[in-house]
Coordinates of all heavy atoms in Angstrom, one line a residue:
R324 N 88.0 75.3 133.8 CA 89.2 75.6 133.0 C 89.1 74.7 131.7 O 89.5 75.1 130.6 CB 90.5 75.3 133.7 CG 91.7 75.6 132.9 CD 93.0 75.2 133.7 NE 93.0 73.7 133.9 CZ 93.4 72.9 133.0 NH1 93.7 73.2 131.8 NH2 93.5 71.6 133.3
V325 N 88.7 73.4 131.8 CA 88.7 72.5 130.7 C 87.7 73.0 129.6 O 88.1 73.0 128.4 CB 88.3 71.1 131.1 CG1 88.2 70.2 129.9 CG2 89.4 70.6 132.1
A326 N 86.6 73.5 130.0 CA 85.6 74.0 129.0 C 85.9 75.4 128.6 O 85.3 75.9 127.6 CB 84.2 74.0 129.6
A327 N 86.8 76.2 129.2 CA 86.9 77.6 129.0 C 87.4 77.9 127.6 O 87.1 78.9 127.0 CB 87.9 78.2 130.0
G328 N 88.3 77.0 127.0 CA 88.8 77.3 125.7 C 87.7 77.4 124.6 O 87.7 78.2 123.8
R329 N 86.8 76.4 124.7 CA 85.7 76.4 123.7 C 84.7 77.5 124.0 O 84.2 78.2 123.1 CB 85.0 75.1 123.7 CG 85.9 73.9 123.3 CD 85.2 72.6 123.3 NE 86.1 71.5 122.9 CZ 85.8 70.2 122.9 NH1 84.5 69.9 123.2 NH2 86.7 69.3 122.6
V330 N 84.4 77.7 125.3 CA 83.4 78.7 125.7 C 83.9 80.1 125.3 O 83.1 81.0 124.9 CB 83.0 78.6 127.2 CG1 82.1 79.7 127.6 CG2 82.3 77.3 127.4
S331 N 85.2 80.3 125.5 CA 85.7 81.7 125.1 C 85.5 82.0 123.6 O 85.2 83.1 123.3 CB 87.2 81.8 125.4 OG 88.0 80.9 124.6
G332 N 85.6 81.0 122.8 CA 85.3 81.2 121.4 C 83.8 81.4 121.2 O 83.4 82.3 120.4
W333 N 83.0 80.7 121.9 CA 81.5 80.9 121.8 C 81.1 82.3 122.2 O 80.2 82.9 121.7 CB 80.8 79.8 122.6 CG 81.0 78.4 122.1 CD1 81.6 78.0 121.0 CD2 80.7 77.2 122.9 NE1 81.6 76.6 120.9 CE2 81.1 76.1 122.1 CE3 80.1 77.0 124.1 CZ2 80.9 74.8 122.5 CZ3 80.0 75.7 124.5 CH2 80.4 74.6 123.7
Q334 N 81.8 82.8 123.3 CA 81.5 84.1 123.7 C 81.7 85.1 122.6 O 81.0 86.1 122.5 CB 82.4 84.5 124.9 CG 81.9 83.8 126.2 CD 82.8 84.2 127.4 OE1 82.4 84.1 128.5 NE2 84.1 84.4 127.1
L335 N 82.8 85.0 121.9 CA 83.1 85.9 120.8 C 82.1 85.8 119.7 O 81.7 86.8 119.1 CB 84.5 85.7 120.3 CG 85.6 86.0 121.2 CD1 87.0 85.8 120.6 CD2 85.6 87.5 121.7
V336 N 81.6 84.6 119.4 CA 80.5 84.4 118.4 C 79.3 85.2 118.9 O 78.6 85.9 118.2 CB 80.2 82.9 118.2 CG1 79.0 82.8 117.3 CG2 81.4 82.3 117.5
A337 N 78.9 84.9 120.2 CA 77.7 85.6 120.7 C 77.9 87.1 120.7 O 77.0 87.8 120.4 CB 77.5 85.1 122.2
A338 N 79.1 87.6 121.1 CA 79.3 89.0 121.1 C 79.2 89.7 119.8 O 78.5 90.7 119.6 CB 80.7 89.3 121.7
N339 N 79.8 89.0 118.8 CA 79.8 89.6 117.4 C 78.4 89.4 116.8 O 77.9 90.3 116.0 CB 80.8 89.0 116.6 CG 82.2 89.4 117.0 OD1 82.5 90.6 117.0 ND2 83.1 88.5 117.3
S340 N 77.7 88.3 117.1 CA 76.3 88.2 116.6 C 75.4 89.3 117.2 O 74.6 89.9 116.4 CB 75.8 86.8 117.0 OG 76.6 85.8 116.4
A341 N 75.6 89.5 118.5 CA 74.8 90.6 119.1 C 75.1 91.9 118.5 O 74.2 92.7 118.2 CB 75.0 90.6 120.6
A342 N 76.4 92.2 118.3 CA 76.8 93.5 117.8 C 76.2 93.7 116.4 O 75.6 94.8 116.1 CB 78.3 93.6 117.8
I343 N 76.4 92.8 115.5 CA 75.9 92.9 114.1 C 74.4 93.1 114.1 O 73.9 93.9 113.3 CB 76.4 91.8 113.2 CG1 76.0 92.0 111.8 CG2 75.9 90.5 113.7 CD1 76.6 91.0 110.8
T344 N 73.7 92.3 114.9 CA 72.2 92.3 114.9 C 71.7 93.7 115.4 O 70.9 94.3 114.8 CB 71.7 91.2 115.7 OG1 72.1 89.9 115.2 CG2 70.1 91.2 115.7
L345 N 72.3 94.1 116.5 CA 71.9 95.4 117.1 C 72.2 96.6 116.2 O 71.3 97.5 116.1 CB 72.5 95.5 118.5 CG 72.0 94.6 119.6 CD1 72.9 94.6 120.8 CD2 70.6 94.9 120.0
I346 N 73.4 96.6 115.6 CA 73.7 97.7 114.8 C 72.8 97.8 113.6 O 72.4 98.8 113.2 CB 75.2 97.6 114.3 CG1 76.1 97.9 115.5 CG2 75.5 98.5 113.2 CD1 77.6 97.5 115.3
A347 N 72.5 96.6 113.0 CA 71.6 96.6 111.8 C 70.2 97.0 112.2 O 69.6 97.8 111.5 CB 71.6 95.2 111.2
L348 N 69.7 96.5 113.3 CA 68.4 96.9 113.8 C 68.2 98.4 114.1 O 67.2 99.0 113.7 CB 68.0 96.1 115.0 CG 67.6 94.6 114.8 CD1 67.4 93.9 116.1 CD2 66.4 94.4 113.9
V349 N 69.3 98.9 114.7 CA 69.3 100.4 115.0 C 69.3 101.1 113.7 O 68.6 102.2 113.5 CB 70.4 100.8 115.9 CG1 70.6 102.3 116.0 CG2 70.2 100.2 117.3
G350 N 70.1 100.6 112.7 CA 70.1 101.3 111.4 C 68.7 101.4 110.7 O 68.3 102.4 110.2
V351 N 68.0 100.2 110.8 CA 66.7 100.2 110.2 C 65.8 101.2 111.0 O 65.0 101.9 110.4 CB 66.1 98.8 110.2 CG1 64.6 98.8 109.8 CG2 66.9 97.9 109.3
S352 N 65.9 101.1 112.3 CA 65.0 102.0 113.2 C 65.3 103.5 113.0 O 64.4 104.3 113.0 CB 65.2 101.6 114.6 OG 64.9 100.2 114.8
V353 N 66.6 103.8 112.8 CA 66.9 105.2 112.6 C 66.3 105.7 111.3 O 65.8 106.9 111.2 CB 68.5 105.4 112.6 CG1 68.9 106.7 111.9 CG2 69.0 105.3 114.0
S354 N 66.3 104.9 110.2 CA 65.8 105.3 108.9 C 64.3 105.5 109.0 O 63.7 106.3 108.3 CB 66.1 104.3 107.9 OG 65.4 103.0 108.1

Side-chain angles (χ1 to χ4, degrees):
R324 185 183 62 80
V325 175
R329 295 182 186 177
V330 175
S331 65
W333 298 346
Q334 284 179 153
L335 293 180
V336 172
N339 290 304
S340 298
I343 184 175
T344 301
L345 290 167
I346 289 171
L348 287 175
V349 169
V351 172
S352 300
V353 165
S354 67

